[in-house]
Amino acid sequence: METFITDKVQENAIKELGKVVAVPSYCEDAEENAPFGPGPKKALETVLKVAESIGYTTFIDPEGYYGYAEIGEGKEIFGLVCHMDVVPAGNIDAWNTEPFKMVEKDGKLFGRGTQDDKGPSVASMFAVKAIMDAGHTFNKRIRFIFGTDEETLWRCMAQYNKKEDPIDLGIAPDSEFPLTYAEKGLQQSYLTGPGSDELNLSLVNAFNAVPGKAVYDGPKQDEVMAALVAHKFDAEKVEGGIEVKGNSVHAMNAPQGTNAVVRLGMALADVFPDIEVLKFLKKFGEDANATNLLGDVSDDVSGKLTFNISSLEISPKGSRLQIDMRIPVKIDHDELVQKVADAVKPFNMKYENFDYVAPLYVPTDTELVKTLMSTYQDVTGDTESKPAISGGATFARTMNNCVAFGAMLPTTPDFMHQANENWSKADMRKAMEIIAEAVYRLCV
Ligand SMILES: [Zn+2]
């Protein structure tokens, strides 16, 4: 294998990465031509300036949603799909350095975005440039696409796909090596139904987490407590009510969690047997694969459906549940939605769409996946790690023929979204070597 990444190449990348990390680029209120506020826009402009300074041609969306940097020539486009927004610093006291000033310490680069996703973006840009500097010519256009809204609602990629040419193949270096070739479809929805004069309840939580607790402050508390005890659910009396305890996990791992809202709903169904939405919860039970409701929904690639119920609202006007489904990649979305709608009908409930993100699935026998896997193995010597599937989501699924590839090694500690986010220079170097070799094999 040719050596593309030298100390000098990495040093240059680190220097420029510092400029990008220095821009606090979390989502804020929109300004003119900066739909996610000034930070993400400035980070986008900064990374494009870096790209220009090393020979890429650049384009910025006039409305400020996204930009891209391109190098090489050809009909086809190989995309590297990245993002310049970050999550906020969070608890500032938990940081040992300033989050928006990149600091090198003990061989590690500290700062918000060093792992997610500014570090991998800038490292990849310099890795690709190094191939060109070694005297090679690309047979495709290599396009770095920079989104600015990954941590929130992905509106940047919706705009990109509306306005720009699709890529022909590509990678999103925003996850882990070796690669993720399947990500489940993501459907967030409401189930609405009749209300009740007996009960007024408003337990509202985020879609994407299993609720770890639910507080009941309504009538008949002694009977509700007795019902919880009969179910052997963990609960205790608190001021003004009862707290049902669960175990909160991400919705994609819902079967590993304990859903406090569902537990409370099941106990309430014993005390208020006429309320339809509670009858539904009783039937659903503690089965976050929704087997009681839908039977087995799974495929041989990505496993079982997960079904998280995160909110329960009941008033005289109506009732509403909030659900998050992670749908196996080979399951037909529309058929599944119809199945859910049919399954809730006996409870006089209706299905309502909130948000849908299509799945990612690039089979492992494609040229893209085979080349990326063999590159990873040849560069690292790691032949144990296998192509992965995930219930999570990367920008890879917004593009054709695109998989998540890197840029964290399986041994890299995960600091994404956390205090003291950092990326070791050694892991960065390895990631640059893998990306350079992969682009060389696919595009030279
Ligand atoms: Zn990311």
Side-chain angles (χ1 to χ4, degrees):
M1 272 183 287
E2 204 174 326
T3 305
F4 295 114
I5 310 302
T6 60
D7 289 350
K8 188 81 201 140
V9 169
Q10 190 182 8
E11 272 163 38
N12 288 341
I14 290 171
K15 200 174 90 214
E16 300 302 313
L17 174 59
K19 295 179 188 169
V20 184
V21 170
V23 185
S25 56
Y26 43 85
C27 187
E28 291 181 288
D29 290 343
E31 290 180 4
E32 203 185 341
N33 298 327
F36 316 114
K41 177 74 181 288
K42 182 152 183 242
L44 176 61
E45 287 168 346
T46 306
V47 81
L48 291 176
K49 212 178 281 171
V50 170
E52 248 167 55
S53 74
I54 59 171
Y56 287 83
T57 53
T58 63
F59 172 83
I60 187 160
D61 167 45
E63 291 181 276
Y65 281 93
Y66 61 87
Y68 56 81
E70 219 172 75
I71 206 163
E73 265 163 56
K75 253 175 124 171
E76 285 190 319
I77 302 176
F78 180 87
L80 291 103
V81 197
C82 306
H83 66 92
M84 281 300 117
D85 60 314
V86 292
V87 295
N91 178 10
I92 215 85
D93 296 332
W95 284 80
N96 300 322
T97 61
E98 275 179 55
F100 297 106
K101 183 175 172 229
M102 196 173 83
V103 176
E104 188 182 327
K105 218 174 63 182
D106 308 327
K108 295 170 187 156
L109 305 166
F110 286 85
R112 174 60 83 229
T114 48
Q115 283 198 341
D116 181 18
D117 182 42
K118 291 172 174 176
S121 308
V122 173
S124 302
M125 238 164 57
F126 278 81
V128 168
K129 165 72 173 153
I131 304 169
M132 208 138 178
D133 288 345
H136 299 289
T137 311
F138 296 118
N139 57 25
K140 299 180 182 64
R141 282 179 284 158
I142 318 275
R143 179 179 288 187
F144 283 84
I145 300 168
F146 301 106
T148 54
D149 182 30
E150 200 273 345
E151 302 295 357
T152 40
L153 290 171
W154 294 23
R155 291 158 286 191
C156 51
M157 287 299 114
Q159 289 292 317
Y160 178 92
N161 282 324
K162 210 161 90 184
K163 298 179 193 171
E164 305 294 337
D165 291 338
I167 64 168
D168 295 281
L169 73 169
I171 59 174
D174 190 20
S175 185
E176 249 182 50
F177 288 118
L179 60 83
T180 307
Y181 69 102
E183 296 172 355
K184 288 177 178 177
L186 168 55
Q187 173 68 59
Q188 296 180 328
S189 329
Y190 296 111
L191 301 176
T192 59
S196 164
D197 293 325
E198 287 181 275
L199 211 51
N200 229 317
L201 210 57
S202 179
L203 301 164
V204 180
N205 303 290
F207 274 102
N208 62 0
V210 172
K213 78 174 196 184
V215 175
Y216 177 69
D217 56 7
K220 298 192 183 179
Q221 292 196 4
D222 289 343
E223 284 152 273
V224 173
M225 192 64 183
L228 286 161
V229 170
H231 280 285
K232 299 196 170 66
F233 293 160
D234 193 6
E236 65 176 21
K237 286 208 160 115
V238 293
E239 213 186 296
I242 299 166
E243 184 179 314
V244 182
K245 294 175 197 302
N247 172 25
S248 182
V249 297
H250 194 280
M252 68 184 178
N253 301 318
Q256 281 97 64
T258 303
N259 191 318
V261 166
V262 170
R263 285 192 158 188
L264 174 60
M266 289 169 69
L268 288 173
D270 298 341
V271 182
F272 303 95
D274 299 327
I275 301 179
E276 297 278 5
V277 66
L278 299 178
K279 285 188 209 166
F280 168 80
L281 287 172
K282 192 170 179 168
K283 154 105 193 223
F284 185 83
E286 288 199 272
D287 173 18
N289 298 118
T291 319
N292 296 338
L293 191 68
L294 305 168
D296 176 53
V297 181
S298 62
D299 68 21
D300 56 344
V301 171
S302 54
K304 287 177 186 288
L305 170 77
T306 63
F307 194 113
N308 181 47
I309 299 177
S310 55
S311 293
L312 166 62
E313 294 167 274
I314 305 173
S315 75
K317 283 192 194 140
S319 60
R320 187 164 89 157
L321 297 171
Q322 198 173 275
I323 63 173
D324 175 304
M325 290 190 280
R326 310 274 158 149
I327 306 169
V329 296
K330 289 186 178 173
I331 297 293
D332 184 89
H333 169 262
D334 295 351
E335 274 174 31
L336 178 71
V337 163
Q338 190 55 51
K339 215 169 160 183
V340 176
D342 291 343
V344 301
K345 221 178 251 165
F347 305 94
N348 291 312
M349 295 175 74
K350 281 200 186 82
Y351 175 92
E352 267 176 39
N353 173 58
F354 171 71
D355 188 32
Y356 174 59
V357 185
L360 161 70
Y361 180 45
V362 181
T364 48
D365 59 1
T366 53
E367 225 25 68
L368 177 68
V369 171
K370 283 197 292 194
T371 307
L372 293 173
M373 274 312 290
S374 60
T375 302
Y376 169 79
Q377 290 172 348
D378 295 346
V379 175
T380 61
D382 169 16
T383 51
E384 296 293 305
S385 303
K386 296 276 171 280
I389 55 154
S390 168
T394 65
F395 273 172
R397 66 167 81 200
T398 66
M399 302 278 153
N400 289 334
N401 206 12
C402 185
V403 297
F405 185 62
M408 299 302 120
L409 296 164
T411 50
T412 307
D414 181 1
F415 289 106
M416 295 189 187
H417 300 196
Q418 298 170 42
N420 300 312
E421 179 174 349
N422 72 85
W423 198 18
S424 80
K425 283 169 68 179
D427 286 357
M428 177 189 183
R429 176 69 164 255
K430 193 53 81 184
M432 291 177 81
E433 288 168 3
I434 300 167
I435 300 270
E437 184 63 24
V439 173
Y440 175 73
R441 291 186 189 182
L442 287 163
C443 305
V444 173

